[in-house]
Amino acid sequence: RSDLQALEARGKLRRIRGGAVAAGVVPAEQPFETSELDLAAEKAHIGALAAREVASGETVLLDVGTTTTAVARALLARSDLRDITVFTNALSVALELERAHPRITVVVTGGTLRPLQHSLVNPMATELLSKVHASIGFIGCNGVDAQAGVTNINLFEAEIKRAMLLAARRRVIVADGSKLGEVELAKVCDMHEVSMVITDDTADPAVVSEIEAIGCRVAIAR
């Protein structure tokens, strides 16, 4: 692991789960519908655990992604919740939560449509977020690493993720086990900026321990 980290620091390779690839090899971003099929049960467990962090009367930020959409479904299932406001840049999240009206009010950020993920990005997507102070934000990603922090495969998405993160008092990263130990193109934040990581029991225990060792809480959904 230390050898891989040293080579990565020199720009010779990029770490991936189970090894590394040569620098400059960029993984293809998967459409939302394709990613939704991967680790679907694990994402549902993560969503349920994340939804338990929300109390009635709170304001929630939910960014784009299949795991954050699982959080939205879990919020929908919590019939005890009242007076929740959700800000999102994900059309999938907005449509899921539409059925919870009027218990849950949905505010869509606006911005420029990115069809691959059904997301809204800059220009204009961060305008509203700069005026929001939310109780809790749930942010998805493509990589969570103790040293490299939270990263994402797409620059446009990463920009919105960071804006959402900064607009929330409690900052929760939701990432299935395949994302832990990964480092992708665009940095979202350092681990010290995160309140908690929620993942599942497919996560590498060694990576979980590394993240916890730097003071970030990790919750395992089962």
Side-chain angles (χ1 to χ4, degrees), residues 125-200:
T126 54
E127 191 73 23
L128 178 63
L129 292 172
S130 65
K131 300 175 176 65
V132 171
H133 301 282
S135 311
I136 189 168
F138 297 103
I139 312 300
C141 64
N142 297 115
V144 184
D145 181 81
Q147 283 74 47
V150 179
T151 54
N152 204 67
I153 197 170
N154 183 272
L155 289 165
F156 298 103
E157 303 286 1
E159 189 174 17
I160 309 303
K161 290 175 187 293
R162 178 154 186 83
M164 282 199 167
L165 185 98
L166 295 176
R169 288 193 294 275
R170 285 185 291 154
R171 302 161 176 181
V172 181
I173 302 299
V174 289
D176 67 68
S178 71
K179 309 297 195 310
L180 268 68
E182 298 295 305
V183 179
E184 295 297 349
L185 171 67
K187 186 166 187 174
V188 176
C189 65
D190 290 315
M191 295 310 303
H192 71 80
E193 298 178 275
V194 174
S195 306
M196 176 171 58
V197 174
I198 300 180
T199 188
D200 64 85

Side-chain angles (χ1 to χ4, degrees), residues 2-15 22-24:
S2 61
D3 289 340
L4 289 177
Q5 288 175 340
L7 287 169
E8 184 178 43
R10 292 163 54 192
K12 300 297 184 182
L13 55 78
R14 185 178 63 84
R15 289 166 57 197

Side-chain angles (χ1 to χ4, degrees), residues 8-212:
E8 184 178 43
R10 292 163 54 192
K12 300 297 184 182
L13 55 78
R14 185 178 63 84
R15 289 166 57 197
I16 61 172
R17 189 170 182 82
V21 296
V25 178
V26 179
E29 183 180 6
Q30 297 298 312
F32 179 92
E33 289 76 12
T34 301
S35 299
E36 195 171 27
L37 301 176
D38 296 333
L39 297 171
E42 288 80 1
K43 291 172 183 176
H45 294 154
I46 292 168
L49 184 55
R52 292 203 288 272
E53 295 289 320
V54 178
S56 291
E58 290 194 315
T59 301
V60 180
L61 298 176
L62 274 174
D63 87 314
V64 66
T66 55
T67 308
T68 49
T69 300
V71 178
R73 291 177 183 138
L75 289 173
L76 177 67
R78 278 198 56 188
S79 58
D80 61 305
L81 288 177
R82 293 289 186 277
D83 300 320
I84 297 294
T85 300
V86 173
F87 285 81
T88 186
N89 70 320
L91 300 184
S92 58
V93 168
L95 289 172
E96 288 287 345
L97 293 177
E98 183 180 19
R99 291 175 287 168
H101 182 81
R103 293 189 300 110
I104 299 177
T105 298
V106 179
V107 180
V108 180
T109 61
T112 303
L113 179 63
R114 190 165 181 266
L116 192 68
Q117 302 297 337
H118 313 303
S119 62
L120 299 170
V121 298
N122 279 334
M124 304 302 289
T126 54
E127 191 73 23
L128 178 63
L129 292 172
S130 65
K131 300 175 176 65
V132 171
H133 301 282
S135 311
I136 189 168
F138 297 103
I139 312 300
C141 64
N142 297 115
V144 184
D145 181 81
Q147 283 74 47
V150 179
T151 54
N152 204 67
I153 197 170
N154 183 272
L155 289 165
F156 298 103
E157 303 286 1
E159 189 174 17
I160 309 303
K161 290 175 187 293
R162 178 154 186 83
M164 282 199 167
L165 185 98
L166 295 176
R169 288 193 294 275
R170 285 185 291 154
R171 302 161 176 181
V172 181
I173 302 299
V174 289
D176 67 68
S178 71
K179 309 297 195 310
L180 268 68
E182 298 295 305
V183 179
E184 295 297 349
L185 171 67
K187 186 166 187 174
V188 176
C189 65
D190 290 315
M191 295 310 303
H192 71 80
E193 298 178 275
V194 174
S195 306
M196 176 171 58
V197 174
I198 300 180
T199 188
D200 64 85
D201 56 10
T202 66
D204 184 339
V207 177
V208 171
S209 295
E210 287 178 0
I211 294 170
E212 290 178 325

